[in-house]
Structures are given as structure tokens and as C-alpha cells.
Amino acid sequence: MSLTERVGARPVTEVAWTSNTSTCPKNFTQISITEDGATANFTRSFAMKSGYYLCYSKDLSGGTVVSDIQVISEKDSIPHGFSYISEYLESRATVSKKKRVCVRLVPVGSVDTAVVDVKVTLKSKMMLQHYTCVGDIHGYVLWCKKGRFSGPVPQAKPRNVSLDLNNFSLDLPPAPLPLRPSNTPPLPPGRISRRRGVLNPTNNTNKLADGSGITALDGVPFALHPKFDIQTNDTSSQVNTLNNIHIKSVQDIENEYGYTFAVEEFTAKRTRPSVQTEGTTTSQ
């Protein structure tokens, strides 16, 4: 086994027909001579004005590789996953449709074995070692070699070093300071915490001498006076008070608070006494 076979060869990425070297794309290799030493021009009919050659490419820029090659006749349907090869021909050249060459293209990252070489021989008893016979077409025999292939070596892209890297420091940033009582958010007004850990941070009289920011009352649990604790009070008196409540009806309210204004009516109808003066009688 050669060194190329052990490390892997570049895979074939496309197979196509071409009229001559002028129509063959620059990234393709044209098979002009067969392994027998004959011209590999697929011209076997007098009706054809111009011949054509087989060519292949190993350009991996398309991201696909040829995993298999088949030769089918015009009566056969194309296999699943295969496609006919491209044609780079002159305007007057045509390819015979009696037999067609089709390939199967797969993503380069999905397989590690693909077609790595393509050769053509005359239709004879000549055999190519390590190659697989694909089929005969117009008096020629198409061969392919499959094997493990090596993908392109990724190249590091050059980067422009910014001038800001001159001020770059490898020193780690300082660790964040622990949360101190002075950094705690204030409680909203009207709300009293049932668990108060610290007093007013502005009061420095209770702080210890070590400068740690911990006051003398840290850790002392906060509790309410029993008379203000609703949960500990006896609720029996409240229950008795609720039971003694009498709900009055509309008639009870009318009877209790009804007022006839009889006194005012009697007072208004009462006659005023008259006061007799000298020569004149005045009604009071």
C-alpha cells in the first residue's frame, strides 16, 4: 500500500462531460487517454459531429463528494439519490442518451469513504487492480476507485492585532466585595420586617472595633411584644362579641328611631297669650 493510500487521497467531487480542453472547467481534469493508450473520445457514431470526453474535479469548495458512480441505460430509471453528470459542451456537441452516467453526491462531513479516482479503458479484457468496474458505455469501460479520503486541512485566518491589545493585562480582576449591611436595599415605608438582622448602618456606636461592619446586635432575633401579637391573644372575647350582635330589620329601625313631631305640631298650633297695656291690647 502506498503512502497516498494510507494517509487518504482527495475525493472526487464532480464528474462531467466536456467537448475539449477549451470547454473543460479549470478545476476539472480531462481524461483524454485511456489506460490502454487510446484516445478517450466518446465518438462512436457518424451522426455525431463532435466527440466528448469524461472529466472529473476534486475541488472541495462545494462541500460535497461523489460516493458512487453508475452507468444506466435509457430504459432504466435513475436510482434514488443519484443525478446525471453535468455537460460542458460546445453548442454543436451532444451526448448520447442511450447510456447515461449518474453519480451520487453526499455532504463531505457525512462519510469517510468516497470515490477517489476515475479511469477509462477500451472495452477489452484489461483489468485495473484496486478499481471497480462501473460499466461500459460506447465501447469504453468506466472504472472508479473508492477509499478513505482526507479532508482539507483548516487554515488559520490571519487576524489584525488591534493596538488596544498593548494595554491588555493578564492579571485577574479583583474579586467582588461581599455584601455589607450598608449595601442592603431599604425597606419601603410602612413595612416592618419580622426578622431584622442589623440596625441603622449610620449608627457607628454599636460597631465592633475590628472594622468588619458587623454591629453588636447582629444575630439577635427580632420579636414583637406579646400584647401586640395578635396570634397569642385569646380570641374568646372577640367570638362572644360577634355572637351578641343583633342584626336589625327595617321595621325595627323605624320603631326605634321613629319620630312623629307631635310636640312641634302642638307648639305651632298653640295660641299666644295677649298682653294688655294702656289703651292697647297686644298679642304675645
Side-chain angles (χ1 to χ4, degrees), residues 117-119 128-133 143-146:
D117 194 14
V118 178
K119 291 185 180 298
L128 298 181
Q129 294 183 356
H130 308 297
Y131 281 78
T132 302
C133 179
W143 303 80
C144 73
K145 181 180 180 180
K146 298 181 181 179

mmCIF file of all heavy atoms in Angstrom, residues 117-119 128-133 143-146:
data_model
loop_
_atom_site.group_PDB
_atom_site.id
_atom_site.type_symbol
_atom_site.label_atom_id
_atom_site.label_comp_id
_atom_site.label_asym_id
_atom_site.label_seq_id
_atom_site.Cartn_x
_atom_site.Cartn_y
_atom_site.Cartn_z
ATOM 1 N N ASP A 117 -10.788 8.191 -7.437
ATOM 2 C CA ASP A 117 -10.161 8.248 -8.763
ATOM 3 C C ASP A 117 -11.113 7.640 -9.787
ATOM 4 O O ASP A 117 -11.950 6.769 -9.469
ATOM 5 C CB ASP A 117 -8.836 7.484 -8.762
ATOM 6 C CG ASP A 117 -7.996 7.809 -9.994
ATOM 7 O OD1 ASP A 117 -8.329 8.816 -10.683
ATOM 8 O OD2 ASP A 117 -7.043 7.061 -10.275
ATOM 9 N N VAL A 118 -10.997 8.140 -11.044
ATOM 10 C CA VAL A 118 -11.817 7.662 -12.165
ATOM 11 C C VAL A 118 -10.886 7.389 -13.341
ATOM 12 O O VAL A 118 -10.026 8.223 -13.669
ATOM 13 C CB VAL A 118 -12.891 8.689 -12.557
ATOM 14 C CG1 VAL A 118 -13.686 8.190 -13.763
ATOM 15 C CG2 VAL A 118 -13.812 8.973 -11.381
ATOM 16 N N LYS A 119 -11.047 6.229 -14.003
ATOM 17 C CA LYS A 119 -10.230 5.872 -15.168
ATOM 18 C C LYS A 119 -11.123 5.288 -16.251
ATOM 19 O O LYS A 119 -12.236 4.813 -15.984
ATOM 20 C CB LYS A 119 -9.130 4.882 -14.796
ATOM 21 C CG LYS A 119 -8.040 5.473 -13.909
ATOM 22 C CD LYS A 119 -6.924 4.501 -13.673
ATOM 23 C CE LYS A 119 -5.838 5.075 -12.793
ATOM 24 N NZ LYS A 119 -5.183 6.265 -13.384
ATOM 25 N N LEU A 128 -8.180 -3.444 -14.112
ATOM 26 C CA LEU A 128 -7.437 -2.490 -13.281
ATOM 27 C C LEU A 128 -7.539 -2.926 -11.829
ATOM 28 O O LEU A 128 -8.639 -3.081 -11.287
ATOM 29 C CB LEU A 128 -8.005 -1.075 -13.448
ATOM 30 C CG LEU A 128 -7.924 -0.475 -14.850
ATOM 31 C CD1 LEU A 128 -8.508 0.939 -14.858
ATOM 32 C CD2 LEU A 128 -6.477 -0.435 -15.339
ATOM 33 N N GLN A 129 -6.370 -3.163 -11.213
ATOM 34 C CA GLN A 129 -6.360 -3.583 -9.823
ATOM 35 C C GLN A 129 -6.790 -2.443 -8.905
ATOM 36 O O GLN A 129 -6.484 -1.271 -9.150
ATOM 37 C CB GLN A 129 -4.966 -4.070 -9.432
ATOM 38 C CG GLN A 129 -4.529 -5.342 -10.148
ATOM 39 C CD GLN A 129 -3.186 -5.829 -9.674
ATOM 40 O OE1 GLN A 129 -2.532 -5.187 -8.859
ATOM 41 N NE2 GLN A 129 -2.746 -6.996 -10.169
ATOM 42 N N HIS A 130 -7.491 -2.832 -7.842
ATOM 43 C CA HIS A 130 -7.993 -1.902 -6.823
ATOM 44 C C HIS A 130 -9.050 -0.948 -7.369
ATOM 45 O O HIS A 130 -9.379 0.044 -6.706
ATOM 46 C CB HIS A 130 -6.853 -1.086 -6.197
ATOM 47 C CG HIS A 130 -5.727 -1.913 -5.680
ATOM 48 N ND1 HIS A 130 -5.851 -2.832 -4.658
ATOM 49 C CD2 HIS A 130 -4.419 -1.991 -6.104
ATOM 50 C CE1 HIS A 130 -4.679 -3.423 -4.430
ATOM 51 N NE2 HIS A 130 -3.798 -2.943 -5.295
ATOM 52 N N TYR A 131 -9.558 -1.218 -8.583
ATOM 53 C CA TYR A 131 -10.609 -0.384 -9.165
ATOM 54 C C TYR A 131 -11.877 -1.220 -9.344
ATOM 55 O O TYR A 131 -11.814 -2.443 -9.524
ATOM 56 C CB TYR A 131 -10.170 0.212 -10.504
ATOM 57 C CG TYR A 131 -9.257 1.406 -10.367
ATOM 58 C CD1 TYR A 131 -7.901 1.237 -10.068
ATOM 59 C CD2 TYR A 131 -9.744 2.691 -10.548
ATOM 60 C CE1 TYR A 131 -7.064 2.331 -9.935
ATOM 61 C CE2 TYR A 131 -8.906 3.790 -10.429
ATOM 62 C CZ TYR A 131 -7.576 3.601 -10.119
ATOM 63 O OH TYR A 131 -6.756 4.687 -10.003
ATOM 64 N N THR A 132 -13.023 -0.556 -9.322
ATOM 65 C CA THR A 132 -14.314 -1.201 -9.506
ATOM 66 C C THR A 132 -14.863 -0.852 -10.873
ATOM 67 O O THR A 132 -14.870 0.335 -11.260
ATOM 68 C CB THR A 132 -15.306 -0.756 -8.412
ATOM 69 O OG1 THR A 132 -14.771 -1.075 -7.129
ATOM 70 C CG2 THR A 132 -16.654 -1.443 -8.583
ATOM 71 N N CYS A 133 -15.329 -1.872 -11.629
ATOM 72 C CA CYS A 133 -15.898 -1.629 -12.949
ATOM 73 C C CYS A 133 -17.295 -1.039 -12.797
ATOM 74 O O CYS A 133 -18.192 -1.654 -12.205
ATOM 75 C CB CYS A 133 -15.946 -2.936 -13.738
ATOM 76 S SG CYS A 133 -16.662 -2.758 -15.388
ATOM 77 N N TRP A 143 -14.138 2.974 -14.906
ATOM 78 C CA TRP A 143 -13.674 2.406 -13.647
ATOM 79 C C TRP A 143 -13.601 3.508 -12.582
ATOM 80 O O TRP A 143 -13.335 4.673 -12.896
ATOM 81 C CB TRP A 143 -12.272 1.794 -13.809
ATOM 82 C CG TRP A 143 -12.166 0.734 -14.859
ATOM 83 C CD1 TRP A 143 -12.048 0.929 -16.202
ATOM 84 C CD2 TRP A 143 -12.175 -0.678 -14.654
ATOM 85 N NE1 TRP A 143 -11.974 -0.269 -16.860
ATOM 86 C CE2 TRP A 143 -12.057 -1.282 -15.929
ATOM 87 C CE3 TRP A 143 -12.271 -1.506 -13.536
ATOM 88 C CZ2 TRP A 143 -12.018 -2.662 -16.100
ATOM 89 C CZ3 TRP A 143 -12.220 -2.879 -13.715
ATOM 90 C CH2 TRP A 143 -12.103 -3.440 -14.980
ATOM 91 N N CYS A 144 -13.847 3.088 -11.338
ATOM 92 C CA CYS A 144 -13.696 4.039 -10.224
ATOM 93 C C CYS A 144 -13.016 3.347 -9.056
ATOM 94 O O CYS A 144 -13.109 2.117 -8.899
ATOM 95 C CB CYS A 144 -15.049 4.615 -9.792
ATOM 96 S SG CYS A 144 -16.100 3.451 -8.901
ATOM 97 N N LYS A 145 -12.334 4.119 -8.271
ATOM 98 C CA LYS A 145 -11.640 3.612 -7.095
ATOM 99 C C LYS A 145 -12.211 4.310 -5.863
ATOM 100 O O LYS A 145 -12.244 5.535 -5.794
ATOM 101 C CB LYS A 145 -10.136 3.872 -7.202
ATOM 102 C CG LYS A 145 -9.332 3.345 -6.022
ATOM 103 C CD LYS A 145 -7.851 3.630 -6.207
ATOM 104 C CE LYS A 145 -7.038 3.108 -5.047
ATOM 105 N NZ LYS A 145 -5.595 3.388 -5.207
ATOM 106 N N LYS A 146 -12.644 3.499 -4.901
ATOM 107 C CA LYS A 146 -13.196 4.027 -3.660
ATOM 108 C C LYS A 146 -12.215 3.800 -2.515
ATOM 109 O O LYS A 146 -11.475 2.812 -2.502
ATOM 110 C CB LYS A 146 -14.534 3.356 -3.326
ATOM 111 C CG LYS A 146 -15.626 3.592 -4.357
ATOM 112 C CD LYS A 146 -16.920 2.913 -3.943
ATOM 113 C CE LYS A 146 -18.014 3.120 -4.984
ATOM 114 N NZ LYS A 146 -19.280 2.449 -4.606
#
